[in-house]
Short mmCIF file of all heavy atoms in Angstrom, two decimals:
data_model
loop_
_atom_site.label_atom_id
_atom_site.label_comp_id
_atom_site.label_asym_id
_atom_site.label_seq_id
_atom_site.Cartn_x
_atom_site.Cartn_y
_atom_site.Cartn_z
N MET A 1450 -12.99 10.81 3.42
CA MET A 1450 -12.80 9.68 2.48
C MET A 1450 -12.78 8.37 3.29
O MET A 1450 -12.01 8.23 4.21
CB MET A 1450 -11.48 9.87 1.74
CG MET A 1450 -11.16 8.75 0.78
SD MET A 1450 -9.63 9.12 -0.05
CE MET A 1450 -9.75 8.04 -1.41
N GLU A 1451 -13.66 7.50 2.90
CA GLU A 1451 -13.75 6.20 3.63
C GLU A 1451 -12.67 5.25 3.10
O GLU A 1451 -12.40 5.15 1.93
CB GLU A 1451 -15.09 5.56 3.39
CG GLU A 1451 -15.33 4.36 4.27
CD GLU A 1451 -16.77 3.86 4.17
OE1 GLU A 1451 -17.66 4.68 4.07
OE2 GLU A 1451 -16.92 2.66 4.14
N ASN A 1452 -11.99 4.59 4.02
CA ASN A 1452 -10.89 3.69 3.68
C ASN A 1452 -11.27 2.24 3.92
O ASN A 1452 -11.73 1.88 5.00
CB ASN A 1452 -9.64 4.07 4.51
CG ASN A 1452 -8.43 3.33 4.11
OD1 ASN A 1452 -8.42 2.54 3.17
ND2 ASN A 1452 -7.35 3.60 4.77
N GLN A 1453 -11.10 1.41 2.92
CA GLN A 1453 -11.47 -0.02 3.02
C GLN A 1453 -10.23 -0.88 3.35
O GLN A 1453 -10.36 -2.08 3.42
CB GLN A 1453 -12.11 -0.55 1.75
CG GLN A 1453 -11.25 -0.59 0.53
CD GLN A 1453 -11.20 0.72 -0.23
OE1 GLN A 1453 -11.72 1.73 0.19
NE2 GLN A 1453 -10.56 0.69 -1.38
N PHE A 1454 -9.08 -0.26 3.63
CA PHE A 1454 -7.89 -1.00 3.93
C PHE A 1454 -7.66 -1.02 5.43
O PHE A 1454 -7.99 -0.11 6.14
CB PHE A 1454 -6.66 -0.38 3.25
CG PHE A 1454 -6.75 -0.44 1.72
CD1 PHE A 1454 -6.96 0.72 1.00
CD2 PHE A 1454 -6.68 -1.63 1.06
CE1 PHE A 1454 -7.07 0.65 -0.37
CE2 PHE A 1454 -6.76 -1.70 -0.33
CZ PHE A 1454 -6.94 -0.54 -1.04
N THR A 1455 -7.04 -2.12 5.92
CA THR A 1455 -6.84 -2.29 7.35
C THR A 1455 -5.32 -2.58 7.57
O THR A 1455 -4.72 -3.40 6.92
CB THR A 1455 -7.63 -3.51 7.89
OG1 THR A 1455 -8.98 -3.34 7.57
CG2 THR A 1455 -7.46 -3.62 9.40
N VAL A 1456 -4.76 -1.83 8.52
CA VAL A 1456 -3.37 -2.01 8.87
C VAL A 1456 -3.14 -3.42 9.37
O VAL A 1456 -3.94 -3.91 10.17
CB VAL A 1456 -2.88 -0.98 9.96
CG1 VAL A 1456 -1.48 -1.30 10.41
CG2 VAL A 1456 -3.01 0.44 9.38
N GLY A 1457 -2.12 -4.08 8.87
CA GLY A 1457 -1.82 -5.47 9.26
C GLY A 1457 -2.25 -6.49 8.25
O GLY A 1457 -1.77 -7.62 8.22
N ASN A 1458 -3.16 -6.13 7.39
CA ASN A 1458 -3.64 -7.06 6.34
C ASN A 1458 -2.69 -6.94 5.10
O ASN A 1458 -2.02 -5.94 4.93
CB ASN A 1458 -5.07 -6.76 5.92
CG ASN A 1458 -6.05 -7.15 6.99
OD1 ASN A 1458 -5.74 -7.80 7.96
ND2 ASN A 1458 -7.31 -6.79 6.75
N SER A 1459 -2.76 -7.96 4.27
CA SER A 1459 -1.93 -7.98 3.03
C SER A 1459 -2.78 -7.65 1.83
O SER A 1459 -3.94 -8.09 1.74
CB SER A 1459 -1.30 -9.33 2.87
OG SER A 1459 -0.41 -9.60 3.99
N TYR A 1460 -2.21 -6.93 0.89
CA TYR A 1460 -2.88 -6.50 -0.33
C TYR A 1460 -1.99 -6.62 -1.51
O TYR A 1460 -0.77 -6.46 -1.41
CB TYR A 1460 -3.37 -5.05 -0.22
CG TYR A 1460 -4.30 -4.82 0.96
CD1 TYR A 1460 -3.86 -4.31 2.17
CD2 TYR A 1460 -5.64 -5.18 0.87
CE1 TYR A 1460 -4.67 -4.11 3.23
CE2 TYR A 1460 -6.51 -4.99 1.91
CZ TYR A 1460 -6.01 -4.46 3.12
OH TYR A 1460 -6.84 -4.29 4.16
N SER A 1461 -2.54 -6.89 -2.68
CA SER A 1461 -1.75 -6.95 -3.89
C SER A 1461 -1.69 -5.52 -4.52
O SER A 1461 -2.54 -4.66 -4.23
CB SER A 1461 -2.37 -7.89 -4.91
OG SER A 1461 -3.58 -7.41 -5.37
N ILE A 1462 -0.72 -5.35 -5.35
CA ILE A 1462 -0.57 -4.04 -6.05
C ILE A 1462 -1.81 -3.79 -6.96
O ILE A 1462 -2.29 -2.70 -7.00
CB ILE A 1462 0.68 -4.06 -6.91
CG1 ILE A 1462 1.92 -4.20 -5.99
CG2 ILE A 1462 0.81 -2.85 -7.76
CD1 ILE A 1462 2.05 -3.10 -4.95
N LYS A 1463 -2.36 -4.86 -7.52
CA LYS A 1463 -3.53 -4.74 -8.34
C LYS A 1463 -4.68 -4.14 -7.58
O LYS A 1463 -5.45 -3.28 -8.06
CB LYS A 1463 -3.88 -6.07 -8.99
CG LYS A 1463 -4.92 -5.99 -10.04
CD LYS A 1463 -5.08 -7.34 -10.75
CE LYS A 1463 -6.03 -7.17 -11.87
NZ LYS A 1463 -6.15 -8.45 -12.64
N GLU A 1464 -4.90 -4.62 -6.36
CA GLU A 1464 -5.96 -4.13 -5.47
C GLU A 1464 -5.79 -2.66 -5.20
O GLU A 1464 -6.75 -1.87 -5.28
CB GLU A 1464 -5.95 -4.85 -4.11
CG GLU A 1464 -6.56 -6.22 -4.15
CD GLU A 1464 -6.51 -6.85 -2.76
OE1 GLU A 1464 -5.46 -7.35 -2.39
OE2 GLU A 1464 -7.56 -6.82 -2.02
N LEU A 1465 -4.56 -2.25 -4.89
CA LEU A 1465 -4.29 -0.84 -4.61
C LEU A 1465 -4.56 0.05 -5.82
O LEU A 1465 -5.17 1.08 -5.67
CB LEU A 1465 -2.83 -0.67 -4.12
CG LEU A 1465 -2.48 -1.37 -2.82
CD1 LEU A 1465 -0.98 -1.29 -2.60
CD2 LEU A 1465 -3.23 -0.82 -1.65
N GLU A 1466 -4.01 -0.39 -6.96
CA GLU A 1466 -4.13 0.42 -8.17
C GLU A 1466 -5.64 0.47 -8.66
O GLU A 1466 -6.05 1.45 -9.20
CB GLU A 1466 -3.23 -0.10 -9.25
CG GLU A 1466 -1.76 0.20 -8.90
CD GLU A 1466 -0.80 -0.42 -9.90
OE1 GLU A 1466 -1.16 -1.29 -10.75
OE2 GLU A 1466 0.39 -0.05 -9.79
N ASN A 1467 -6.38 -0.59 -8.48
CA ASN A 1467 -7.79 -0.61 -8.81
C ASN A 1467 -8.59 0.38 -7.92
O ASN A 1467 -9.65 0.82 -8.35
CB ASN A 1467 -8.40 -2.00 -8.71
CG ASN A 1467 -7.95 -2.91 -9.85
OD1 ASN A 1467 -7.49 -2.42 -10.86
ND2 ASN A 1467 -8.12 -4.17 -9.64
N ASN A 1468 -8.09 0.67 -6.76
CA ASN A 1468 -8.73 1.66 -5.89
C ASN A 1468 -8.25 3.05 -6.06
O ASN A 1468 -8.52 3.94 -5.25
CB ASN A 1468 -8.58 1.22 -4.41
CG ASN A 1468 -9.53 0.07 -4.07
OD1 ASN A 1468 -10.71 0.24 -4.03
ND2 ASN A 1468 -9.00 -1.09 -3.83
N GLY A 1469 -7.41 3.27 -7.07
CA GLY A 1469 -6.94 4.66 -7.41
C GLY A 1469 -5.63 5.04 -6.81
O GLY A 1469 -5.23 6.21 -6.93
N PHE A 1470 -4.96 4.17 -6.12
CA PHE A 1470 -3.68 4.49 -5.50
C PHE A 1470 -2.57 4.36 -6.52
O PHE A 1470 -2.65 3.50 -7.39
CB PHE A 1470 -3.38 3.61 -4.30
CG PHE A 1470 -4.21 3.93 -3.08
CD1 PHE A 1470 -5.45 3.39 -2.90
CD2 PHE A 1470 -3.72 4.86 -2.17
CE1 PHE A 1470 -6.20 3.68 -1.80
CE2 PHE A 1470 -4.46 5.16 -1.03
CZ PHE A 1470 -5.72 4.57 -0.87
N SER A 1471 -1.54 5.24 -6.41
CA SER A 1471 -0.43 5.13 -7.33
C SER A 1471 0.89 5.18 -6.49
O SER A 1471 0.94 5.81 -5.44
CB SER A 1471 -0.42 6.27 -8.34
OG SER A 1471 -0.38 7.51 -7.69
N LYS A 1472 1.87 4.51 -6.94
CA LYS A 1472 3.13 4.38 -6.26
C LYS A 1472 3.84 5.72 -6.30
O LYS A 1472 3.97 6.32 -7.37
CB LYS A 1472 3.99 3.32 -6.94
CG LYS A 1472 5.31 3.01 -6.24
CD LYS A 1472 5.97 1.88 -6.99
CE LYS A 1472 7.32 1.48 -6.44
NZ LYS A 1472 7.89 0.37 -7.20
N THR A 1473 4.28 6.21 -5.14
CA THR A 1473 4.97 7.51 -5.06
C THR A 1473 6.43 7.38 -4.76
O THR A 1473 7.21 8.16 -5.26
CB THR A 1473 4.32 8.41 -3.99
OG1 THR A 1473 4.36 7.75 -2.74
CG2 THR A 1473 2.86 8.73 -4.35
N LYS A 1474 6.79 6.39 -3.93
CA LYS A 1474 8.21 6.19 -3.54
C LYS A 1474 8.45 4.81 -3.06
O LYS A 1474 7.56 4.15 -2.50
CB LYS A 1474 8.59 7.21 -2.45
CG LYS A 1474 10.07 7.20 -2.08
CD LYS A 1474 10.39 8.29 -1.12
CE LYS A 1474 11.90 8.24 -0.89
NZ LYS A 1474 12.32 9.31 0.03
N GLN A 1475 9.69 4.34 -3.24
CA GLN A 1475 10.05 3.01 -2.72
C GLN A 1475 11.47 3.11 -2.10
O GLN A 1475 12.37 3.69 -2.71
CB GLN A 1475 10.07 1.97 -3.86
CG GLN A 1475 10.48 0.59 -3.34
CD GLN A 1475 10.30 -0.46 -4.45
OE1 GLN A 1475 9.59 -0.25 -5.39
NE2 GLN A 1475 10.90 -1.59 -4.21
N THR A 1476 11.59 2.62 -0.89
CA THR A 1476 12.89 2.52 -0.23
C THR A 1476 13.23 1.02 -0.20
O THR A 1476 12.60 0.21 -0.80
CB THR A 1476 12.82 3.06 1.19
OG1 THR A 1476 11.98 2.25 1.99
CG2 THR A 1476 12.32 4.50 1.24
N THR A 1477 14.27 0.67 0.52
CA THR A 1477 14.69 -0.73 0.56
C THR A 1477 13.73 -1.57 1.40
O THR A 1477 13.73 -2.79 1.23
CB THR A 1477 16.14 -0.85 1.16
OG1 THR A 1477 16.17 -0.22 2.45
CG2 THR A 1477 17.16 -0.23 0.21
N ILE A 1478 12.93 -0.95 2.29
CA ILE A 1478 12.05 -1.76 3.11
C ILE A 1478 10.59 -1.34 3.10
O ILE A 1478 9.73 -2.04 3.55
CB ILE A 1478 12.52 -1.74 4.61
CG1 ILE A 1478 12.59 -0.29 5.12
CG2 ILE A 1478 13.82 -2.43 4.77
CD1 ILE A 1478 12.88 -0.21 6.59
N ILE A 1479 10.28 -0.19 2.47
CA ILE A 1479 8.91 0.33 2.46
C ILE A 1479 8.54 0.85 1.06
O ILE A 1479 9.36 1.50 0.42
CB ILE A 1479 8.72 1.48 3.49
CG1 ILE A 1479 8.96 0.92 4.90
CG2 ILE A 1479 7.29 2.04 3.42
CD1 ILE A 1479 8.88 1.94 5.97
N VAL A 1480 7.29 0.62 0.66
CA VAL A 1480 6.71 1.17 -0.57
C VAL A 1480 5.57 2.09 -0.20
O VAL A 1480 4.76 1.74 0.67
CB VAL A 1480 6.19 0.05 -1.51
CG1 VAL A 1480 5.61 0.64 -2.76
CG2 VAL A 1480 7.30 -0.93 -1.84
N PHE A 1481 5.49 3.27 -0.80
CA PHE A 1481 4.44 4.22 -0.50
C PHE A 1481 3.52 4.36 -1.67
O PHE A 1481 3.95 4.48 -2.81
CB PHE A 1481 5.05 5.62 -0.16
CG PHE A 1481 5.91 5.63 1.09
CD1 PHE A 1481 7.29 5.45 0.96
CD2 PHE A 1481 5.36 5.76 2.34
CE1 PHE A 1481 8.08 5.46 2.09
CE2 PHE A 1481 6.12 5.74 3.45
CZ PHE A 1481 7.50 5.64 3.36
N TYR A 1482 2.21 4.35 -1.36
CA TYR A 1482 1.17 4.61 -2.38
C TYR A 1482 0.28 5.73 -1.92
O TYR A 1482 -0.01 5.81 -0.70
CB TYR A 1482 0.32 3.33 -2.54
CG TYR A 1482 0.95 2.37 -3.53
CD1 TYR A 1482 1.91 1.48 -3.07
CD2 TYR A 1482 0.57 2.30 -4.84
CE1 TYR A 1482 2.54 0.56 -3.95
CE2 TYR A 1482 1.18 1.41 -5.73
CZ TYR A 1482 2.16 0.54 -5.25
OH TYR A 1482 2.75 -0.33 -6.12
N ARG A 1483 -0.13 6.63 -2.82
CA ARG A 1483 -0.91 7.81 -2.52
C ARG A 1483 -2.14 7.87 -3.40
O ARG A 1483 -2.11 7.60 -4.54
CB ARG A 1483 -0.08 9.04 -2.62
CG ARG A 1483 -0.88 10.33 -2.32
CD ARG A 1483 -0.02 11.53 -2.37
NE ARG A 1483 0.76 11.76 -1.20
CZ ARG A 1483 0.38 12.19 -0.04
NH1 ARG A 1483 -0.89 12.42 0.19
NH2 ARG A 1483 1.22 12.36 0.96
N LYS A 1484 -3.21 8.38 -2.74
CA LYS A 1484 -4.44 8.74 -3.45
C LYS A 1484 -5.00 9.94 -2.74
O LYS A 1484 -5.35 9.86 -1.52
CB LYS A 1484 -5.42 7.60 -3.44
CG LYS A 1484 -6.77 7.97 -4.11
CD LYS A 1484 -7.73 6.81 -4.00
CE LYS A 1484 -9.07 7.17 -4.51
NZ LYS A 1484 -10.03 6.09 -4.37
N ASP A 1485 -5.13 11.09 -3.42
CA ASP A 1485 -5.61 12.33 -2.83
C ASP A 1485 -4.80 12.62 -1.59
O ASP A 1485 -3.62 12.85 -1.62
CB ASP A 1485 -7.08 12.25 -2.56
CG ASP A 1485 -7.91 12.04 -3.83
OD1 ASP A 1485 -7.45 12.42 -4.93
OD2 ASP A 1485 -8.95 11.38 -3.76
N ASN A 1486 -5.46 12.63 -0.40
CA ASN A 1486 -4.74 13.00 0.85
C ASN A 1486 -4.44 11.80 1.70
O ASN A 1486 -4.07 11.90 2.88
CB ASN A 1486 -5.54 14.01 1.63
CG ASN A 1486 -6.84 13.42 2.16
OD1 ASN A 1486 -7.35 12.43 1.60
ND2 ASN A 1486 -7.43 14.03 3.16
N VAL A 1487 -4.53 10.57 1.15
CA VAL A 1487 -4.27 9.33 1.89
C VAL A 1487 -2.94 8.72 1.42
O VAL A 1487 -2.73 8.54 0.22
CB VAL A 1487 -5.40 8.31 1.71
CG1 VAL A 1487 -5.09 7.03 2.45
CG2 VAL A 1487 -6.71 8.88 2.17
N LEU A 1488 -2.07 8.45 2.38
CA LEU A 1488 -0.78 7.82 2.07
C LEU A 1488 -0.71 6.44 2.74
O LEU A 1488 -0.96 6.34 3.97
CB LEU A 1488 0.38 8.68 2.55
CG LEU A 1488 1.78 8.16 2.29
CD1 LEU A 1488 2.07 8.15 0.78
CD2 LEU A 1488 2.79 8.99 3.03
N LEU A 1489 -0.43 5.39 1.98
CA LEU A 1489 -0.28 4.04 2.53
C LEU A 1489 1.20 3.65 2.53
O LEU A 1489 1.94 3.90 1.58
CB LEU A 1489 -1.06 3.04 1.63
CG LEU A 1489 -2.50 3.27 1.40
CD1 LEU A 1489 -3.05 2.16 0.49
CD2 LEU A 1489 -3.26 3.29 2.69
N ALA A 1490 1.64 3.04 3.62
CA ALA A 1490 3.01 2.52 3.75
C ALA A 1490 2.93 1.04 3.82
O ALA A 1490 2.24 0.47 4.69
CB ALA A 1490 3.69 3.12 4.97
N LEU A 1491 3.57 0.37 2.85
CA LEU A 1491 3.52 -1.12 2.80
C LEU A 1491 4.95 -1.66 2.79
O LEU A 1491 5.90 -1.00 2.38
CB LEU A 1491 2.84 -1.52 1.48
CG LEU A 1491 1.43 -1.04 1.34
CD1 LEU A 1491 1.36 -0.01 0.24
CD2 LEU A 1491 0.49 -2.15 1.06
N ASP A 1492 5.11 -2.91 3.29
CA ASP A 1492 6.41 -3.48 3.30
C ASP A 1492 6.78 -4.04 1.93
O ASP A 1492 5.91 -4.13 1.04
CB ASP A 1492 6.50 -4.64 4.35
CG ASP A 1492 5.68 -5.87 3.97
OD1 ASP A 1492 4.89 -5.82 3.05
OD2 ASP A 1492 5.89 -6.93 4.62
N ILE A 1493 8.04 -4.31 1.73
CA ILE A 1493 8.52 -4.93 0.50
C ILE A 1493 8.11 -6.39 0.53
O ILE A 1493 8.23 -7.06 1.57
CB ILE A 1493 10.05 -4.87 0.37
CG1 ILE A 1493 10.50 -3.38 0.32
CG2 ILE A 1493 10.59 -5.61 -0.83
CD1 ILE A 1493 9.99 -2.61 -0.89
N PRO A 1494 7.55 -6.97 -0.56
CA PRO A 1494 7.06 -8.32 -0.51
C PRO A 1494 8.17 -9.35 -0.28
O PRO A 1494 9.34 -9.10 -0.61
CB PRO A 1494 6.45 -8.52 -1.90
CG PRO A 1494 6.94 -7.45 -2.77
CD PRO A 1494 7.37 -6.34 -1.87
N LYS A 1495 7.83 -10.44 0.30
CA LYS A 1495 8.75 -11.52 0.62
C LYS A 1495 8.96 -12.38 -0.64
O LYS A 1495 8.08 -12.47 -1.49
CB LYS A 1495 8.14 -12.42 1.74
CG LYS A 1495 7.73 -11.68 2.96
CD LYS A 1495 8.89 -10.95 3.61
CE LYS A 1495 8.49 -10.22 4.86
NZ LYS A 1495 8.44 -8.83 4.78
N PRO A 1496 10.13 -13.02 -0.78
CA PRO A 1496 10.42 -13.79 -1.98
C PRO A 1496 9.43 -14.93 -2.27
O PRO A 1496 9.20 -15.25 -3.43
CB PRO A 1496 11.80 -14.36 -1.67
CG PRO A 1496 12.38 -13.49 -0.67
CD PRO A 1496 11.25 -12.95 0.12
N LEU A 1497 8.83 -15.51 -1.23
CA LEU A 1497 7.89 -16.62 -1.45
C LEU A 1497 6.56 -16.15 -1.98
O LEU A 1497 5.83 -16.90 -2.58
CB LEU A 1497 7.70 -17.39 -0.16
CG LEU A 1497 8.93 -18.13 0.32
CD1 LEU A 1497 8.64 -18.87 1.63
CD2 LEU A 1497 9.45 -19.14 -0.69
N ASP A 1498 6.21 -14.88 -1.78
CA ASP A 1498 4.92 -14.33 -2.20
C ASP A 1498 5.17 -12.89 -2.72
O ASP A 1498 4.79 -11.94 -2.05
CB ASP A 1498 3.89 -14.35 -1.13
CG ASP A 1498 2.49 -14.29 -1.66
OD1 ASP A 1498 2.29 -14.20 -2.88
OD2 ASP A 1498 1.56 -14.31 -0.86
N PRO A 1499 5.81 -12.75 -3.86
CA PRO A 1499 6.26 -11.43 -4.32
C PRO A 1499 5.21 -10.45 -4.75
O PRO A 1499 5.46 -9.29 -4.95
CB PRO A 1499 7.16 -11.77 -5.52
CG PRO A 1499 6.64 -13.06 -6.03
CD PRO A 1499 6.12 -13.77 -4.82
N LYS A 1500 3.92 -10.88 -4.80
CA LYS A 1500 2.84 -9.97 -5.25
C LYS A 1500 2.00 -9.42 -4.13
O LYS A 1500 1.05 -8.72 -4.36
CB LYS A 1500 2.01 -10.70 -6.28
CG LYS A 1500 2.77 -11.04 -7.57
CD LYS A 1500 1.86 -11.66 -8.59
CE LYS A 1500 2.71 -11.98 -9.78
NZ LYS A 1500 1.95 -12.48 -10.88
N VAL A 1501 2.33 -9.79 -2.89
CA VAL A 1501 1.53 -9.36 -1.78
C VAL A 1501 2.35 -8.48 -0.80
O VAL A 1501 3.45 -8.87 -0.42
CB VAL A 1501 0.99 -10.63 -0.98
CG1 VAL A 1501 0.22 -10.19 0.22
CG2 VAL A 1501 0.14 -11.49 -1.90
N HIS A 1502 1.76 -7.30 -0.45
CA HIS A 1502 2.41 -6.40 0.42
C HIS A 1502 1.56 -6.28 1.74
O HIS A 1502 0.35 -6.27 1.67
CB HIS A 1502 2.48 -4.98 -0.15
CG HIS A 1502 3.32 -4.89 -1.35
ND1 HIS A 1502 4.63 -4.49 -1.32
CD2 HIS A 1502 3.05 -5.11 -2.68
CE1 HIS A 1502 5.13 -4.50 -2.53
NE2 HIS A 1502 4.18 -4.85 -3.38
N LYS A 1503 2.23 -6.21 2.88
CA LYS A 1503 1.55 -6.01 4.14
C LYS A 1503 1.46 -4.54 4.42
O LYS A 1503 2.41 -3.80 4.36
CB LYS A 1503 2.31 -6.71 5.28
CG LYS A 1503 1.59 -6.66 6.58
CD LYS A 1503 2.32 -7.49 7.66
CE LYS A 1503 1.57 -7.47 8.93
NZ LYS A 1503 2.28 -8.28 9.94
N LEU A 1504 0.23 -4.06 4.75
CA LEU A 1504 0.02 -2.63 5.06
C LEU A 1504 0.53 -2.32 6.44
O LEU A 1504 0.12 -2.92 7.43
CB LEU A 1504 -1.46 -2.33 4.94
CG LEU A 1504 -1.85 -0.87 5.14
CD1 LEU A 1504 -1.21 0.03 4.14
CD2 LEU A 1504 -3.36 -0.75 5.05
N LEU A 1505 1.50 -1.40 6.48
CA LEU A 1505 2.08 -1.03 7.77
C LEU A 1505 1.45 0.16 8.44
O LEU A 1505 1.36 0.25 9.65
CB LEU A 1505 3.58 -0.71 7.56
CG LEU A 1505 4.43 -1.86 6.94
CD1 LEU A 1505 5.82 -1.36 6.64
CD2 LEU A 1505 4.46 -3.04 7.90
N ALA A 1506 1.00 1.17 7.62
CA ALA A 1506 0.44 2.36 8.18
C ALA A 1506 -0.43 3.13 7.15
O ALA A 1506 -0.20 3.01 5.93
CB ALA A 1506 1.53 3.32 8.70
N ILE A 1507 -1.39 3.88 7.64
CA ILE A 1507 -2.22 4.74 6.81
C ILE A 1507 -2.14 6.12 7.44
O ILE A 1507 -2.38 6.29 8.65
CB ILE A 1507 -3.68 4.27 6.79
CG1 ILE A 1507 -3.82 2.86 6.29
CG2 ILE A 1507 -4.53 5.23 5.97
CD1 ILE A 1507 -5.16 2.25 6.41
N THR A 1508 -1.89 7.13 6.63
CA THR A 1508 -1.87 8.53 7.12
C THR A 1508 -2.67 9.39 6.17
O THR A 1508 -2.80 9.11 5.00
CB THR A 1508 -0.47 9.11 7.21
OG1 THR A 1508 0.17 9.10 5.97
CG2 THR A 1508 0.35 8.32 8.20
N GLU A 1509 -3.28 10.41 6.73
CA GLU A 1509 -4.03 11.37 5.97
C GLU A 1509 -3.51 12.77 6.25
O GLU A 1509 -3.18 13.09 7.41
CB GLU A 1509 -5.51 11.34 6.34
CG GLU A 1509 -6.18 10.03 5.93
CD GLU A 1509 -7.71 10.05 6.14
OE1 GLU A 1509 -8.32 11.12 6.03
OE2 GLU A 1509 -8.18 8.99 6.52
N ASP A 1510 -3.35 13.56 5.22
CA ASP A 1510 -2.88 14.93 5.43
C ASP A 1510 -3.86 15.95 4.88
O ASP A 1510 -4.86 15.68 4.38
CB ASP A 1510 -1.54 15.14 4.82
CG ASP A 1510 -1.39 14.75 3.37
OD1 ASP A 1510 -2.34 14.10 2.83
OD2 ASP A 1510 -0.37 15.06 2.77
#
């Protein structure tokens, strides 16, 4: 599966959901989104820009 996301870049929830990812879990500092065998770890948005998440890691299982 080809991935168009890059670690370190910021993405909106709308972008993730439009690409088929769905929220699986949220902690106090990280939000996880999954699609098939790809798991994205994103940070919690900052108060000044609450709709943008920074991509921390991508894993495939």
